[in-house]
Amino acid sequence: MKSIVQKLMDTYKKEGLKSPEQHFIKAADTEKEMLFQLLGKEHNDFEPACYLRECGIYTFALTIGGHAICIDSNSGSIYICDHGLIMQDFDTDAIVINSGLVSCDVYDSFHISGEIPFNYDNIIICMDKIENSFLTFMENVADGNYTDLEKLITY
């Protein structure tokens, strides 16, 4: 992990960030405790994170456009989830997957009309996978391989 942090610091220096070392210091115990208290009270309380966590998928970052970067605790894979992908069906009050934000090939595989039922198996098919592991994701972030994560969303 130390090499990833060093790569991040090197990448940020290339991008013009002054003193990147100040952003990569060990968190104090009080800072860690505050982070644990905030879990579930910030991004994870908003859409789509509040629904994804019901499936064991946790948001750990957001893109500039508000799309969730998530880790699947079932597989360890990293996904990007469009902020409008999961919604409440106002006719039935059910939580559903917005079929308008799913590629035609994926939508056609469900053999349904209307919105897609929300559950783990369906959401994994509908989100876009970024990497198979958090470590690979962080290595690619450190190497500057993601210029725009939002371009990874397919419709």
Side-chain angles (χ1 to χ4, degrees):
M1 195 64 151
K2 189 173 184 175
S3 65
I4 291 175
V5 172
Q6 186 60 52
K7 283 182 180 182
L8 283 168
M9 289 171 48
D10 294 342
T11 299
Y12 290 154
K13 280 182 183 177
K14 288 179 197 172
E15 304 263 328
L17 180 68
K18 294 182 172 65
S19 300
E21 293 82 8
Q22 69 186 356
H23 301 286
F24 296 99
I25 58 175
K26 183 179 177 184
D29 289 339
T30 55
E31 293 170 318
K32 286 189 265 185
E33 182 59 34
M34 185 175 14
L35 177 63
F36 292 131
Q37 289 176 3
L38 290 174
L39 286 174
K41 294 183 181 175
E42 287 193 326
H43 302 303
N44 284 319
D45 268 355
F46 301 105
E47 292 180 357
C50 62
Y51 304 122
L52 290 171
R53 69 176 174 220
E54 294 174 17
C55 298
I57 301 168
Y58 298 93
T59 299
F60 64 89
L62 297 175
T63 66
I64 295 289
H67 306 298
I69 306 299
C70 314
I71 186 165
D72 178 1
S73 65
N74 303 293
S75 69
S77 296
I78 306 300
Y79 290 88
I80 186 167
C81 183
D82 185 285
H83 60 80
L85 186 63
I86 305 167
M87 63 182 209
Q88 183 177 9
D89 183 329
F90 293 107
D91 293 332
T92 64
D93 283 338
I95 303 304
V96 295
I97 299 170
N98 183 347
S99 60
L101 295 178
V102 176
S103 72
C104 292
D105 292 343
V106 170
Y107 181 72
D108 291 344
S109 71
F110 284 100
H111 305 289
I112 60 172
S113 63
E115 307 306 340
I116 302 166
F118 175 71
N119 60 45
Y120 175 79
D121 293 329
N122 291 352
I123 195 63
I124 287 300
I125 293 168
C126 295
M127 290 189 303
D128 293 293
K129 185 187 282 190
I130 299 174
E131 295 295 345
N132 288 324
S133 74
F134 183 74
L135 187 58
T136 303
F137 174 76
M138 288 306 299
E139 287 172 345
N140 283 318
V141 168
D143 289 336
N145 292 338
Y146 304 123
T147 56
D148 186 354
L149 285 171
E150 292 180 351
K151 289 183 179 178
L152 299 176
I153 297 175
T154 59
Y155 299 114

